[in-house]
Structures are given as structure tokens and as C-alpha cells.
Amino acid sequence: YDYSEQRSDVLGRLLAAMDGELYQDAGGLVAVRGGRWQAPTFTIDESMIFGWDQLEEGDEAYNTFTRIKHTYLSPFHDYQPTEGDPWDDVAAQTIQGVIETENSFVRAPSHRQSRQLAKIAMAKGNPRFRLTGLRLSPSALPAFGEPTVILNLPSFGINTTFAIMRGSILMAGNALTGVKFDLISLDASAYAWDPSEEGQRPPLPDTYN
């Protein structure tokens, strides 16, 4: 990068290359995490819930996209942005066809890493459940700052892991009244990886053949 770029743009590229996010830790410091599945340690149950703005449930018939085209920085192509083998949701494509989106992982240094990031992005972009504006009592405060939680809502047939996409603390004057989250359903399968998933790397330039 060069000094003419906004620092937020540079940081965004670095975070995208590691499935990273910034958060505030228990000591009030800004920290970074990402790149691996982190199992939940806290469960939200119906007794904690005041309400929510929207609850969406979808399946392969309602995916926003079914193919992710992705770009990484290939050391074998003179460190130029290089398009990798797209990540496909085959099950959704049999219903909806190919709906493409593009993700830039331009700071990722390998095709494998870029493909794995695309797999994670597919899971996050098309969750089974999406819950926005979930308002909770102060008893849910331990979930604030956590990457994942278990959400147990027997009334809606939901008892699974969710990623916290956004969180805020609710105050009335100086009194804590609760917390508010945006959640998407996500589990460890999004981060699981097998060598068979690496796909086809772009052909090497003639100088390498």
C-alpha cells in the first residue's frame, strides 16, 4: 500500500484476507481475531429476549448468490491480483442456477487461502437464519464481545450456533438495560477444510513451465 490510501481501506484488505474482525476486549483494548472457528461459550435462551426487529429463515432456494468469484495476490504471477477457481454452492445452483458475486481477498497470498475464504463467505452470506435487532436483558451481557453464541428458541425450532455480526450495549442514563445483537446462523463446517476443496489453481506463466 502507499500513503495516499485511507488507513481504513488498507486495514479492510488485511482483515478480508484472514476472515478477521476488530473488537473491544474485556480490558477495553481494540483487538483482532479471525481465521478459525471459535466455539460458543454462552447460550441465549428465550428468558433473556425482549424482542427483535426481524427473523429471516432461508434455504438453497433463497440464496443471495450461489457462486463466489475471488481474487488473491499470486506470487507466481508477479504478485498481481489473480482470479482463483470460483467457490460454488452446488446444491443451491441446482435450484436457482448460477448467481455470481465477487470478493476481493487481494492480500491473501495463496489460492488455497483465497478458496477457503470464499467458502466462509458463502456460509456467512447465505445463512439458514438471520436475526437482526435482537434485544436482550442484562443477563446476556457475557455474550457481548464474543464471536459466537448458542441461540435456543424452542418456540421457533431453533437451537444452534450463531455468529455475532454486530453488538451494542443498551443504556438508560447510567443504567444498563440490556444488549442488542445482529446474528447469523453459522457452525464449524464453514471453517472445515479438505485438500479436495482446493480447486484448480490458475495456470502458471510460461516462465514457470
Side-chain angles (χ1 to χ4, degrees):
Y1 65 93
D2 59 54
Y3 293 133
S4 67
E5 296 184 83
Q6 293 290 325
R7 286 180 291 180
S8 58
D9 293 339
V10 176
L11 179 60
R13 292 200 299 270
L14 295 174
L15 291 173
M18 59 173 291
D19 180 48
E21 65 173 341
L22 298 179
Y23 72 103
Q24 190 173 35
D25 68 12
L29 300 177
V30 175
V32 63
R33 64 183 168 213
R36 64 183 178 88
W37 170 250
Q38 297 185 31
T41 59
F42 187 81
T43 297
I44 296 172
D45 61 39
E46 292 183 336
S47 68
M48 304 174 185
I49 297 175
F50 291 152
W52 56 72
D53 296 335
Q54 189 171 19
L55 172 61
E56 300 174 86
E57 181 178 2
D59 56 27
E60 287 85 356
Y62 299 98
N63 279 12
T64 305
F65 46 83
T66 63
R67 169 176 289 173
I68 295 181
K69 298 174 68 175
H70 55 98
T71 305
Y72 69 104
L73 200 68
S74 173
F76 301 107
H77 296 81
D78 199 25
Y79 293 92
Q80 295 300 306
T82 305
E83 187 173 315
D85 190 4
W87 185 268
D88 291 315
D89 184 335
V90 178
Q93 287 179 2
T94 60
I95 301 172
Q96 291 183 273
V98 177
I99 305 172
E100 291 186 343
T101 190
E102 296 187 16
N103 284 45
S104 175
F105 306 122
V106 72
R107 296 310 304 170
S110 71
H111 184 258
R112 184 213 60 78
Q113 184 170 329
S114 190
R115 281 269 292 179
Q116 189 166 8
L117 289 164
K119 178 182 180 180
I120 295 168
M122 182 69 79
K124 288 185 173 181
N126 295 297
R128 176 66 186 275
F129 298 102
R130 190 188 304 270
L131 192 57
T132 56
L134 176 64
R135 298 179 298 280
L136 303 165
S137 69
S139 61
L141 185 61
F144 188 77
E146 291 294 308
T148 60
V149 293
I150 296 173
L151 183 62
N152 184 20
L153 301 179
S155 300
F156 292 85
I158 297 174
N159 185 15
T160 189
T161 53
F162 280 71
I164 299 175
M165 306 306 292
R166 182 177 301 173
S168 58
I169 294 177
L170 304 177
M171 303 289 293
N174 293 324
L176 173 67
T177 60
V179 292
K180 184 177 181 181
F181 293 130
D182 291 344
L183 307 175
I184 59 169
S185 56
L186 190 72
D187 60 44
S189 65
Y191 290 81
W193 190 251
D194 186 272
S196 64
E197 297 177 304
E198 293 187 8
Q200 296 296 318
R201 291 184 299 174
L204 294 176
D206 291 341
T207 53
Y208 286 88
N209 293 330

mmCIF file of all heavy atoms in Angstrom, residues 60-104:
data_model
loop_
_atom_site.group_PDB
_atom_site.id
_atom_site.type_symbol
_atom_site.label_atom_id
_atom_site.label_comp_id
_atom_site.label_asym_id
_atom_site.label_seq_id
_atom_site.Cartn_x
_atom_site.Cartn_y
_atom_site.Cartn_z
ATOM 1 N N GLU A 60 -31.670 -23.182 0.225
ATOM 2 C CA GLU A 60 -30.986 -23.052 -1.052
ATOM 3 C C GLU A 60 -31.826 -22.322 -2.105
ATOM 4 O O GLU A 60 -31.295 -21.781 -3.069
ATOM 5 C CB GLU A 60 -30.580 -24.430 -1.588
ATOM 6 C CG GLU A 60 -29.415 -25.076 -0.853
ATOM 7 C CD GLU A 60 -29.859 -25.826 0.393
ATOM 8 O OE1 GLU A 60 -31.065 -25.769 0.717
ATOM 9 O OE2 GLU A 60 -29.006 -26.458 1.032
ATOM 10 N N ALA A 61 -33.131 -22.293 -1.930
ATOM 11 C CA ALA A 61 -33.997 -21.634 -2.915
ATOM 12 C C ALA A 61 -33.975 -20.116 -2.780
ATOM 13 O O ALA A 61 -34.486 -19.416 -3.652
ATOM 14 C CB ALA A 61 -35.431 -22.142 -2.775
ATOM 15 N N TYR A 62 -33.384 -19.613 -1.700
ATOM 16 C CA TYR A 62 -33.402 -18.175 -1.455
ATOM 17 C C TYR A 62 -32.002 -17.597 -1.291
ATOM 18 O O TYR A 62 -31.841 -16.499 -0.769
ATOM 19 C CB TYR A 62 -34.237 -17.861 -0.217
ATOM 20 C CG TYR A 62 -35.679 -18.286 -0.346
ATOM 21 C CD1 TYR A 62 -36.122 -19.481 0.204
ATOM 22 C CD2 TYR A 62 -36.589 -17.500 -1.045
ATOM 23 C CE1 TYR A 62 -37.444 -19.879 0.076
ATOM 24 C CE2 TYR A 62 -37.913 -17.883 -1.180
ATOM 25 C CZ TYR A 62 -38.331 -19.082 -0.616
ATOM 26 O OH TYR A 62 -39.636 -19.477 -0.752
ATOM 27 N N ASN A 63 -30.975 -18.319 -1.754
ATOM 28 C CA ASN A 63 -29.619 -17.821 -1.617
ATOM 29 C C ASN A 63 -29.433 -16.516 -2.390
ATOM 30 O O ASN A 63 -29.920 -16.367 -3.507
ATOM 31 C CB ASN A 63 -28.611 -18.851 -2.127
ATOM 32 C CG ASN A 63 -28.322 -19.929 -1.097
ATOM 33 O OD1 ASN A 63 -29.013 -20.037 -0.099
ATOM 34 N ND2 ASN A 63 -27.313 -20.743 -1.351
ATOM 35 N N THR A 64 -28.720 -15.588 -1.774
ATOM 36 C CA THR A 64 -28.425 -14.320 -2.432
ATOM 37 C C THR A 64 -27.485 -14.525 -3.613
ATOM 38 O O THR A 64 -27.592 -13.858 -4.636
ATOM 39 C CB THR A 64 -27.794 -13.346 -1.433
ATOM 40 O OG1 THR A 64 -28.650 -13.216 -0.298
ATOM 41 C CG2 THR A 64 -27.577 -11.979 -2.058
ATOM 42 N N PHE A 65 -26.554 -15.448 -3.477
ATOM 43 C CA PHE A 65 -25.628 -15.801 -4.554
ATOM 44 C C PHE A 65 -25.272 -17.270 -4.403
ATOM 45 O O PHE A 65 -25.377 -17.850 -3.319
ATOM 46 C CB PHE A 65 -24.368 -14.928 -4.531
ATOM 47 C CG PHE A 65 -23.768 -14.767 -3.153
ATOM 48 C CD1 PHE A 65 -22.921 -15.716 -2.609
ATOM 49 C CD2 PHE A 65 -24.060 -13.642 -2.392
ATOM 50 C CE1 PHE A 65 -22.379 -15.565 -1.353
ATOM 51 C CE2 PHE A 65 -23.526 -13.471 -1.125
ATOM 52 C CZ PHE A 65 -22.679 -14.437 -0.605
ATOM 53 N N THR A 66 -24.875 -17.887 -5.510
ATOM 54 C CA THR A 66 -24.533 -19.317 -5.500
ATOM 55 C C THR A 66 -23.110 -19.573 -6.000
ATOM 56 O O THR A 66 -22.673 -20.705 -6.045
ATOM 57 C CB THR A 66 -25.517 -20.121 -6.360
ATOM 58 O OG1 THR A 66 -25.429 -19.699 -7.729
ATOM 59 C CG2 THR A 66 -26.950 -19.942 -5.861
ATOM 60 N N ARG A 67 -22.414 -18.539 -6.409
ATOM 61 C CA ARG A 67 -21.015 -18.659 -6.832
ATOM 62 C C ARG A 67 -20.253 -17.421 -6.382
ATOM 63 O O ARG A 67 -20.730 -16.299 -6.546
ATOM 64 C CB ARG A 67 -20.889 -18.807 -8.341
ATOM 65 C CG ARG A 67 -19.434 -18.662 -8.865
ATOM 66 C CD ARG A 67 -19.326 -18.913 -10.348
ATOM 67 N NE ARG A 67 -19.508 -20.327 -10.632
ATOM 68 C CZ ARG A 67 -19.588 -20.819 -11.871
ATOM 69 N NH1 ARG A 67 -19.552 -19.997 -12.915
ATOM 70 N NH2 ARG A 67 -19.743 -22.117 -12.053
ATOM 71 N N ILE A 68 -19.084 -17.650 -5.785
ATOM 72 C CA ILE A 68 -18.212 -16.543 -5.397
ATOM 73 C C ILE A 68 -16.959 -16.584 -6.259
ATOM 74 O O ILE A 68 -16.179 -17.540 -6.215
ATOM 75 C CB ILE A 68 -17.828 -16.613 -3.910
ATOM 76 C CG1 ILE A 68 -19.064 -16.439 -3.027
ATOM 77 C CG2 ILE A 68 -16.783 -15.548 -3.575
ATOM 78 C CD1 ILE A 68 -18.779 -16.479 -1.542
ATOM 79 N N LYS A 69 -16.784 -15.539 -7.061
ATOM 80 C CA LYS A 69 -15.534 -15.341 -7.780
ATOM 81 C C LYS A 69 -14.610 -14.551 -6.857
ATOM 82 O O LYS A 69 -15.035 -13.582 -6.226
ATOM 83 C CB LYS A 69 -15.786 -14.582 -9.080
ATOM 84 C CG LYS A 69 -16.702 -15.320 -10.041
ATOM 85 C CD LYS A 69 -17.044 -14.478 -11.260
ATOM 86 C CE LYS A 69 -15.834 -14.242 -12.140
ATOM 87 N NZ LYS A 69 -16.203 -13.516 -13.383
ATOM 88 N N HIS A 70 -13.360 -14.965 -6.771
ATOM 89 C CA HIS A 70 -12.476 -14.353 -5.781
ATOM 90 C C HIS A 70 -11.100 -14.063 -6.389
ATOM 91 O O HIS A 70 -10.667 -14.726 -7.331
ATOM 92 C CB HIS A 70 -12.336 -15.256 -4.551
ATOM 93 C CG HIS A 70 -11.890 -16.650 -4.872
ATOM 94 N ND1 HIS A 70 -10.582 -17.057 -4.756
ATOM 95 C CD2 HIS A 70 -12.575 -17.731 -5.323
ATOM 96 C CE1 HIS A 70 -10.484 -18.345 -5.107
ATOM 97 N NE2 HIS A 70 -11.687 -18.771 -5.446
ATOM 98 N N THR A 71 -10.451 -13.069 -5.812
ATOM 99 C CA THR A 71 -9.150 -12.605 -6.279
ATOM 100 C C THR A 71 -8.155 -12.639 -5.136
ATOM 101 O O THR A 71 -8.484 -12.254 -4.008
ATOM 102 C CB THR A 71 -9.252 -11.178 -6.829
ATOM 103 O OG1 THR A 71 -10.247 -11.130 -7.846
ATOM 104 C CG2 THR A 71 -7.927 -10.713 -7.418
ATOM 105 N N TYR A 72 -6.943 -13.104 -5.430
ATOM 106 C CA TYR A 72 -5.873 -13.131 -4.431
ATOM 107 C C TYR A 72 -4.597 -12.602 -5.069
ATOM 108 O O TYR A 72 -4.562 -12.307 -6.276
ATOM 109 C CB TYR A 72 -5.678 -14.546 -3.879
ATOM 110 C CG TYR A 72 -5.109 -15.530 -4.880
ATOM 111 C CD1 TYR A 72 -3.776 -15.936 -4.817
ATOM 112 C CD2 TYR A 72 -5.902 -16.074 -5.893
ATOM 113 C CE1 TYR A 72 -3.251 -16.845 -5.736
ATOM 114 C CE2 TYR A 72 -5.386 -16.986 -6.800
ATOM 115 C CZ TYR A 72 -4.063 -17.354 -6.726
ATOM 116 O OH TYR A 72 -3.550 -18.242 -7.629
ATOM 117 N N LEU A 73 -3.544 -12.462 -4.281
ATOM 118 C CA LEU A 73 -2.269 -11.932 -4.781
ATOM 119 C C LEU A 73 -1.320 -13.107 -4.993
ATOM 120 O O LEU A 73 -0.798 -13.665 -4.046
ATOM 121 C CB LEU A 73 -1.686 -10.943 -3.778
ATOM 122 C CG LEU A 73 -0.651 -9.960 -4.335
ATOM 123 C CD1 LEU A 73 -1.317 -8.986 -5.294
ATOM 124 C CD2 LEU A 73 0.006 -9.182 -3.196
ATOM 125 N N SER A 74 -1.111 -13.469 -6.258
ATOM 126 C CA SER A 74 -0.344 -14.667 -6.569
ATOM 127 C C SER A 74 1.148 -14.362 -6.697
ATOM 128 O O SER A 74 1.549 -13.573 -7.565
ATOM 129 C CB SER A 74 -0.842 -15.281 -7.878
ATOM 130 O OG SER A 74 0.001 -16.349 -8.284
ATOM 131 N N PRO A 75 1.987 -14.985 -5.869
ATOM 132 C CA PRO A 75 3.439 -14.794 -6.017
ATOM 133 C C PRO A 75 3.967 -15.393 -7.318
ATOM 134 O O PRO A 75 5.051 -15.023 -7.769
ATOM 135 C CB PRO A 75 4.015 -15.512 -4.794
ATOM 136 C CG PRO A 75 2.966 -16.498 -4.403
ATOM 137 C CD PRO A 75 1.661 -15.882 -4.756
ATOM 138 N N PHE A 76 3.201 -16.322 -7.910
ATOM 139 C CA PHE A 76 3.631 -16.951 -9.165
ATOM 140 C C PHE A 76 3.230 -16.143 -10.393
ATOM 141 O O PHE A 76 3.540 -16.518 -11.518
ATOM 142 C CB PHE A 76 3.044 -18.358 -9.272
ATOM 143 C CG PHE A 76 3.462 -19.252 -8.142
ATOM 144 C CD1 PHE A 76 2.566 -19.600 -7.141
ATOM 145 C CD2 PHE A 76 4.755 -19.739 -8.047
ATOM 146 C CE1 PHE A 76 2.938 -20.420 -6.088
ATOM 147 C CE2 PHE A 76 5.137 -20.560 -6.999
ATOM 148 C CZ PHE A 76 4.228 -20.901 -6.020
ATOM 149 N N HIS A 77 2.508 -15.052 -10.189
ATOM 150 C CA HIS A 77 2.081 -14.182 -11.294
ATOM 151 C C HIS A 77 2.551 -12.750 -11.022
ATOM 152 O O HIS A 77 1.815 -11.793 -11.172
ATOM 153 C CB HIS A 77 0.560 -14.234 -11.462
ATOM 154 C CG HIS A 77 0.043 -15.584 -11.849
ATOM 155 N ND1 HIS A 77 -0.146 -16.584 -10.924
ATOM 156 C CD2 HIS A 77 -0.314 -16.100 -13.055
ATOM 157 C CE1 HIS A 77 -0.598 -17.677 -11.542
ATOM 158 N NE2 HIS A 77 -0.715 -17.404 -12.822
ATOM 159 N N ASP A 78 3.813 -12.661 -10.587
ATOM 160 C CA ASP A 78 4.464 -11.370 -10.353
ATOM 161 C C ASP A 78 3.714 -10.544 -9.304
ATOM 162 O O ASP A 78 3.653 -9.322 -9.385
ATOM 163 C CB ASP A 78 4.595 -10.585 -11.671
ATOM 164 C CG ASP A 78 5.640 -9.473 -11.581
ATOM 165 O OD1 ASP A 78 6.556 -9.594 -10.751
ATOM 166 O OD2 ASP A 78 5.514 -8.489 -12.325
ATOM 167 N N TYR A 79 3.121 -11.232 -8.335
ATOM 168 C CA TYR A 79 2.387 -10.594 -7.235
ATOM 169 C C TYR A 79 1.293 -9.665 -7.741
ATOM 170 O O TYR A 79 1.070 -8.577 -7.204
ATOM 171 C CB TYR A 79 3.357 -9.843 -6.314
ATOM 172 C CG TYR A 79 4.287 -10.778 -5.574
ATOM 173 C CD1 TYR A 79 5.529 -11.108 -6.112
ATOM 174 C CD2 TYR A 79 3.903 -11.358 -4.373
ATOM 175 C CE1 TYR A 79 6.373 -11.985 -5.456
ATOM 176 C CE2 TYR A 79 4.747 -12.230 -3.700
ATOM 177 C CZ TYR A 79 5.982 -12.547 -4.246
ATOM 178 O OH TYR A 79 6.815 -13.427 -3.600
ATOM 179 N N GLN A 80 0.589 -10.128 -8.756
ATOM 180 C CA GLN A 80 -0.524 -9.385 -9.307
ATOM 181 C C GLN A 80 -1.843 -10.000 -8.834
ATOM 182 O O GLN A 80 -1.918 -11.209 -8.571
ATOM 183 C CB GLN A 80 -0.483 -9.394 -10.837
ATOM 184 C CG GLN A 80 0.721 -8.681 -11.430
ATOM 185 C CD GLN A 80 0.762 -7.222 -11.011
ATOM 186 O OE1 GLN A 80 -0.206 -6.481 -11.187
ATOM 187 N NE2 GLN A 80 1.889 -6.806 -10.440
ATOM 188 N N PRO A 81 -2.912 -9.195 -8.694
ATOM 189 C CA PRO A 81 -4.220 -9.767 -8.367
ATOM 190 C C PRO A 81 -4.608 -10.817 -9.406
ATOM 191 O O PRO A 81 -4.578 -10.554 -10.602
ATOM 192 C CB PRO A 81 -5.149 -8.550 -8.416
ATOM 193 C CG PRO A 81 -4.261 -7.391 -8.145
ATOM 194 C CD PRO A 81 -2.945 -7.728 -8.789
ATOM 195 N N THR A 82 -4.961 -12.008 -8.928
ATOM 196 C CA THR A 82 -5.213 -13.148 -9.798
ATOM 197 C C THR A 82 -6.537 -13.792 -9.419
ATOM 198 O O THR A 82 -6.817 -13.996 -8.234
ATOM 199 C CB THR A 82 -4.074 -14.192 -9.671
ATOM 200 O OG1 THR A 82 -2.824 -13.547 -9.937
ATOM 201 C CG2 THR A 82 -4.271 -15.339 -10.636
ATOM 202 N N GLU A 83 -7.350 -14.114 -10.410
ATOM 203 C CA GLU A 83 -8.651 -14.730 -10.136
ATOM 204 C C GLU A 83 -8.491 -16.217 -9.896
ATOM 205 O O GLU A 83 -7.864 -16.922 -10.690
ATOM 206 C CB GLU A 83 -9.611 -14.474 -11.292
ATOM 207 C CG GLU A 83 -11.035 -14.931 -11.011
ATOM 208 C CD GLU A 83 -12.013 -14.512 -12.089
ATOM 209 O OE1 GLU A 83 -11.955 -13.344 -12.518
ATOM 210 O OE2 GLU A 83 -12.837 -15.363 -12.494
ATOM 211 N N GLY A 84 -9.073 -16.692 -8.804
ATOM 212 C CA GLY A 84 -8.979 -18.095 -8.458
ATOM 213 C C GLY A 84 -10.159 -18.905 -8.968
ATOM 214 O O GLY A 84 -11.087 -18.373 -9.589
ATOM 215 N N ASP A 85 -10.124 -20.185 -8.701
ATOM 216 C CA ASP A 85 -11.213 -21.095 -9.055
ATOM 217 C C ASP A 85 -12.435 -20.722 -8.213
ATOM 218 O O ASP A 85 -12.373 -20.735 -6.985
ATOM 219 C CB ASP A 85 -10.768 -22.530 -8.768
ATOM 220 C CG ASP A 85 -11.728 -23.565 -9.327
ATOM 221 O OD1 ASP A 85 -12.699 -23.169 -10.000
ATOM 222 O OD2 ASP A 85 -11.497 -24.770 -9.093
ATOM 223 N N PRO A 86 -13.576 -20.356 -8.817
ATOM 224 C CA PRO A 86 -14.734 -19.893 -8.034
ATOM 225 C C PRO A 86 -15.207 -20.947 -7.040
ATOM 226 O O PRO A 86 -15.029 -22.158 -7.254
ATOM 227 C CB PRO A 86 -15.800 -19.628 -9.105
ATOM 228 C CG PRO A 86 -15.049 -19.441 -10.365
ATOM 229 C CD PRO A 86 -13.842 -20.339 -10.261
ATOM 230 N N TRP A 87 -15.824 -20.460 -5.969
ATOM 231 C CA TRP A 87 -16.445 -21.358 -4.988
ATOM 232 C C TRP A 87 -17.936 -21.450 -5.294
ATOM 233 O O TRP A 87 -18.626 -20.438 -5.352
ATOM 234 C CB TRP A 87 -16.234 -20.867 -3.560
ATOM 235 C CG TRP A 87 -16.780 -21.854 -2.566
ATOM 236 C CD1 TRP A 87 -18.033 -21.864 -2.034
ATOM 237 C CD2 TRP A 87 -16.124 -23.008 -2.063
ATOM 238 N NE1 TRP A 87 -18.197 -22.954 -1.210
ATOM 239 C CE2 TRP A 87 -17.040 -23.672 -1.208
ATOM 240 C CE3 TRP A 87 -14.848 -23.551 -2.232
ATOM 241 C CZ2 TRP A 87 -16.708 -24.836 -0.527
ATOM 242 C CZ3 TRP A 87 -14.524 -24.712 -1.546
ATOM 243 C CH2 TRP A 87 -15.453 -25.344 -0.704
ATOM 244 N N ASP A 88 -18.428 -22.672 -5.517
ATOM 245 C CA ASP A 88 -19.817 -22.891 -5.901
ATOM 246 C C ASP A 88 -20.598 -23.574 -4.793
ATOM 247 O O ASP A 88 -20.091 -24.493 -4.130
ATOM 248 C CB ASP A 88 -19.901 -23.768 -7.159
ATOM 249 C CG ASP A 88 -19.379 -23.050 -8.394
ATOM 250 O OD1 ASP A 88 -19.733 -21.869 -8.578
ATOM 251 O OD2 ASP A 88 -18.624 -23.666 -9.173
ATOM 252 N N ASP A 89 -21.840 -23.138 -4.610
ATOM 253 C CA ASP A 89 -22.808 -23.856 -3.787
ATOM 254 C C ASP A 89 -23.629 -24.706 -4.752
ATOM 255 O O ASP A 89 -24.617 -24.242 -5.323
ATOM 256 C CB ASP A 89 -23.689 -22.872 -3.027
ATOM 257 C CG ASP A 89 -24.656 -23.572 -2.069
ATOM 258 O OD1 ASP A 89 -24.992 -24.749 -2.310
ATOM 259 O OD2 ASP A 89 -25.100 -22.931 -1.104
ATOM 260 N N VAL A 90 -23.195 -25.937 -4.938
ATOM 261 C CA VAL A 90 -23.792 -26.795 -5.967
ATOM 262 C C VAL A 90 -25.257 -27.074 -5.677
ATOM 263 O O VAL A 90 -26.096 -27.072 -6.585
ATOM 264 C CB VAL A 90 -22.987 -28.103 -6.099
ATOM 265 C CG1 VAL A 90 -23.638 -29.025 -7.130
ATOM 266 C CG2 VAL A 90 -21.547 -27.804 -6.488
ATOM 267 N N ALA A 91 -25.589 -27.304 -4.414
ATOM 268 C CA ALA A 91 -26.979 -27.607 -4.054
ATOM 269 C C ALA A 91 -27.894 -26.446 -4.420
ATOM 270 O O ALA A 91 -28.987 -26.641 -4.968
ATOM 271 C CB ALA A 91 -27.085 -27.925 -2.568
ATOM 272 N N ALA A 92 -27.463 -25.219 -4.115
ATOM 273 C CA ALA A 92 -28.286 -24.054 -4.443
ATOM 274 C C ALA A 92 -28.349 -23.819 -5.943
ATOM 275 O O ALA A 92 -29.372 -23.385 -6.478
ATOM 276 C CB ALA A 92 -27.736 -22.815 -3.740
ATOM 277 N N GLN A 93 -27.266 -24.145 -6.656
ATOM 278 C CA GLN A 93 -27.250 -23.937 -8.101
ATOM 279 C C GLN A 93 -28.234 -24.855 -8.823
ATOM 280 O O GLN A 93 -28.782 -24.483 -9.860
ATOM 281 C CB GLN A 93 -25.836 -24.137 -8.654
ATOM 282 C CG GLN A 93 -24.892 -23.000 -8.309
ATOM 283 C CD GLN A 93 -23.487 -23.212 -8.844
ATOM 284 O OE1 GLN A 93 -23.198 -24.196 -9.515
ATOM 285 N NE2 GLN A 93 -22.595 -22.281 -8.542
ATOM 286 N N THR A 94 -28.463 -26.038 -8.264
ATOM 287 C CA THR A 94 -29.440 -26.939 -8.901
ATOM 288 C C THR A 94 -30.857 -26.374 -8.818
ATOM 289 O O THR A 94 -31.727 -26.745 -9.618
ATOM 290 C CB THR A 94 -29.411 -28.326 -8.235
ATOM 291 O OG1 THR A 94 -29.728 -28.197 -6.844
ATOM 292 C CG2 THR A 94 -28.038 -28.967 -8.382
ATOM 293 N N ILE A 95 -31.101 -25.462 -7.875
ATOM 294 C CA ILE A 95 -32.429 -24.857 -7.698
ATOM 295 C C ILE A 95 -32.512 -23.492 -8.373
ATOM 296 O O ILE A 95 -33.453 -23.194 -9.100
ATOM 297 C CB ILE A 95 -32.761 -24.718 -6.205
ATOM 298 C CG1 ILE A 95 -32.740 -26.086 -5.512
ATOM 299 C CG2 ILE A 95 -34.119 -24.049 -6.008
ATOM 300 C CD1 ILE A 95 -32.857 -26.028 -4.007
ATOM 301 N N GLN A 96 -31.497 -22.667 -8.147
ATOM 302 C CA GLN A 96 -31.540 -21.285 -8.611
ATOM 303 C C GLN A 96 -30.701 -20.999 -9.840
ATOM 304 O O GLN A 96 -30.849 -19.952 -10.458
ATOM 305 C CB GLN A 96 -31.055 -20.343 -7.494
ATOM 306 C CG GLN A 96 -31.977 -20.231 -6.302
ATOM 307 C CD GLN A 96 -31.441 -19.217 -5.310
ATOM 308 O OE1 GLN A 96 -30.652 -19.550 -4.450
ATOM 309 N NE2 GLN A 96 -31.861 -17.983 -5.448
ATOM 310 N N GLY A 97 -29.781 -21.907 -10.160
ATOM 311 C CA GLY A 97 -28.814 -21.606 -11.207
ATOM 312 C C GLY A 97 -27.621 -20.862 -10.625
ATOM 313 O O GLY A 97 -27.480 -20.714 -9.412
ATOM 314 N N VAL A 98 -26.757 -20.373 -11.498
ATOM 315 C CA VAL A 98 -25.538 -19.684 -11.075
ATOM 316 C C VAL A 98 -25.824 -18.199 -10.882
ATOM 317 O O VAL A 98 -26.193 -17.500 -11.826
ATOM 318 C CB VAL A 98 -24.407 -19.876 -12.104
ATOM 319 C CG1 VAL A 98 -23.169 -19.083 -11.686
ATOM 320 C CG2 VAL A 98 -24.063 -21.356 -12.247
ATOM 321 N N ILE A 99 -25.674 -17.738 -9.647
ATOM 322 C CA ILE A 99 -25.801 -16.313 -9.312
ATOM 323 C C ILE A 99 -24.457 -15.884 -8.746
ATOM 324 O O ILE A 99 -24.066 -16.313 -7.662
ATOM 325 C CB ILE A 99 -26.925 -16.063 -8.288
ATOM 326 C CG1 ILE A 99 -28.246 -16.627 -8.785
ATOM 327 C CG2 ILE A 99 -27.055 -14.574 -7.998
ATOM 328 C CD1 ILE A 99 -29.354 -16.591 -7.752
ATOM 329 N N GLU A 100 -23.740 -15.054 -9.482
ATOM 330 C CA GLU A 100 -22.368 -14.738 -9.124
ATOM 331 C C GLU A 100 -22.253 -13.483 -8.264
ATOM 332 O O GLU A 100 -23.049 -12.554 -8.373
ATOM 333 C CB GLU A 100 -21.523 -14.526 -10.390
ATOM 334 C CG GLU A 100 -21.290 -15.779 -11.197
ATOM 335 C CD GLU A 100 -20.338 -15.540 -12.358
ATOM 336 O OE1 GLU A 100 -20.117 -14.361 -12.719
ATOM 337 O OE2 GLU A 100 -19.817 -16.525 -12.909
ATOM 338 N N THR A 101 -21.260 -13.502 -7.385
ATOM 339 C CA THR A 101 -20.802 -12.308 -6.699
ATOM 340 C C THR A 101 -19.285 -12.366 -6.698
ATOM 341 O O THR A 101 -18.688 -13.409 -6.991
ATOM 342 C CB THR A 101 -21.358 -12.223 -5.269
ATOM 343 O OG1 THR A 101 -21.074 -10.945 -4.721
ATOM 344 C CG2 THR A 101 -20.747 -13.300 -4.365
ATOM 345 N N GLU A 102 -18.649 -11.246 -6.401
ATOM 346 C CA GLU A 102 -17.191 -11.186 -6.418
ATOM 347 C C GLU A 102 -16.669 -10.700 -5.084
ATOM 348 O O GLU A 102 -17.196 -9.743 -4.512
ATOM 349 C CB GLU A 102 -16.710 -10.256 -7.536
ATOM 350 C CG GLU A 102 -17.081 -10.745 -8.937
ATOM 351 C CD GLU A 102 -16.447 -9.901 -10.032
ATOM 352 O OE1 GLU A 102 -15.496 -9.148 -9.731
ATOM 353 O OE2 GLU A 102 -16.906 -9.994 -11.182
ATOM 354 N N ASN A 103 -15.630 -11.370 -4.582
ATOM 355 C CA ASN A 103 -14.961 -10.974 -3.340
ATOM 356 C C ASN A 103 -13.482 -10.772 -3.620
ATOM 357 O O ASN A 103 -12.861 -11.581 -4.324
ATOM 358 C CB ASN A 103 -15.137 -12.035 -2.254
ATOM 359 C CG ASN A 103 -16.513 -12.027 -1.639
ATOM 360 O OD1 ASN A 103 -17.508 -11.946 -2.345
ATOM 361 N ND2 ASN A 103 -16.597 -12.142 -0.329
ATOM 362 N N SER A 104 -12.934 -9.729 -3.058
ATOM 363 C CA SER A 104 -11.507 -9.469 -3.189
ATOM 364 C C SER A 104 -10.787 -9.878 -1.913
ATOM 365 O O SER A 104 -11.044 -9.316 -0.847
ATOM 366 C CB SER A 104 -11.255 -7.985 -3.480
ATOM 367 O OG SER A 104 -9.861 -7.715 -3.502
#
